[in-house]
Amino acid sequence: MSVIVLASSKGGVGKSTIALVLAHALAHAGGSVALIDADPNSPMDAWAKLSGGNLPERFTLNVGVSEDSIIEKIDEASERDSFVIVDLEGSANMAVSYAIGRADLVLVPLQGSQLDANEAAKVIRLIEREARAYRRKIPYAAILSRTSFIKPRTAKHIESEIRGAGIDILPVEMTERDAFKALFSFGGTLYDLTSEEVSSPDKACANAEALAQAVIDHLRGLKDA
Ligand SMILES: Nc1ncnc2c1ncn2[C@@H]1O[C@H](COP(=O)(O)OP(=O)(O)O)[C@@H](O)[C@H]1O
Ligand SMILES: [Mg+2]
């Protein structure tokens, strides 16, 4: 089992989208996946309601998870599933701290703006504080979110600053795609989207699978280190 936590001190950077898409791709690849929604706005509950019964196979969803129950829920899911993905609120609270405390990998999404990079730095300081508090290494990596094919200069500059600070960036980006947005409008899984509903669903699936593979490789690299 691996506990993957999505964290950022800012809303709107793509945490929930990455959590959901990653969950779909990992389950599609044959892993058993638990998705834990610890955001009081319950984005995954809304998605599940839209989906009716159409949830991926080998997939468990836990919604309404609060600071009182998050550690228990993560530990329960870890016993059962190969991947536990935790989606959090975009601000620091006890649930965020507890989830980071249990993480095998914290993914910090950021878009290519200086403000985002500053927010990401805040989360990274929180992770490092927790690592000291728990006296254990808490691995983390940045993930570039909502990117476009043409990369503006500011985005390139921020990327090189992050790398310069010694922070890992996942080699696969989460591209801005209609299909990813559509999941929270139509429900269902990434693999159910058709080209009538969204443009290039196949490319969205390929992006999701590459991302899942990058996460698996990153986790493997951490184990071997
Ligand atoms: N890769 C993406 N492609 C297209 N839209 C995206 C993507 N990531 C996020 N969005 C959209 O941006 C908004 C915020 O994303 P969300 O995942 O809810 O962020 P967070 O959980 O960090 O607040 C949502 O409307 C979502 O549909
Ligand atoms: Mg969210």
Side-chain angles (χ1 to χ4, degrees):
M1 62 90 206
S2 298
V3 178
I4 303 158
V5 171
L6 275 296
S8 76
S9 54
K10 194 173 167 231
V13 289
K15 285 181 299 300
S16 302
T17 306
I18 294 169
L20 188 62
V21 163
L22 195 55
H24 290 182
L26 288 168
H28 188 78
S32 66
V33 178
L35 179 59
I36 296 182
D37 182 353
D39 181 346
N41 298 310
S42 308
M44 302 308 171
D45 195 28
W47 165 77
K49 283 188 178 127
L50 281 172
S51 306
N54 187 17
L55 300 183
E57 286 177 51
R58 298 174 293 278
F59 175 87
T60 314
L61 179 63
N62 272 291
V63 297
V65 175
S66 67
E67 66 180 55
D68 297 333
S69 57
I70 191 160
I71 296 177
E72 207 180 309
K73 293 287 176 200
I74 291 175
D75 289 354
E76 242 171 56
S78 302
E79 298 263 310
R80 186 187 60 220
D81 295 311
S82 32
F83 298 97
V84 181
I85 301 176
V86 186
D87 184 33
L88 296 165
E89 193 180 4
S91 61
N93 56 35
M94 287 303 277
V96 171
S97 297
Y98 289 149
I100 290 174
R102 276 292 192 267
D104 292 300
L105 176 62
V106 184
L107 293 178
V108 182
L110 68 142
Q111 289 173 255
S113 83
Q114 194 62 50
L115 281 178
D116 259 36
N118 298 347
E119 292 296 328
K122 253 193 235 168
V123 180
I124 288 169
R125 283 198 294 275
L126 171 66
I127 299 167
E128 287 177 345
R129 268 202 308 280
E130 289 211 33
R132 279 198 297 279
Y134 289 108
R135 291 185 210 268
R136 76 166 188 101
K137 205 168 161 13
I138 302 178
Y140 59 84
I143 168 168
L144 301 172
S145 176
R146 310 191 65 179
T147 57
S148 53
F149 291 103
I150 304 161
K151 200 163 273 188
R153 262 186 69 201
T154 42
K156 281 189 199 152
H157 171 72
I158 287 161
E159 233 181 285
S160 72
E161 265 191 353
I162 293 169
R163 282 189 218 280
I167 296 164
D168 288 335
I169 304 182
L170 282 192
V172 177
E173 302 175 3
M174 186 75 174
T175 320
E176 174 85 19
R177 282 187 184 283
D178 208 20
F180 296 146
K181 195 166 280 181
L183 285 176
F184 288 102
S185 309
F186 301 139
T189 89
L190 190 57
Y191 294 89
D192 298 321
L193 292 170
T194 64
S195 47
E196 280 81 51
E197 290 167 323
V198 294
S199 63
S200 313
D202 50 331
K203 287 192 182 141
C205 292
N207 188 174
E209 283 161 21
L211 179 63
Q213 191 57 53
V215 169
I216 291 170
D217 291 346
H218 197 89
L219 287 164
R220 224 170 253 154
L222 292 168
K223 277 201 182 111
D224 294 343

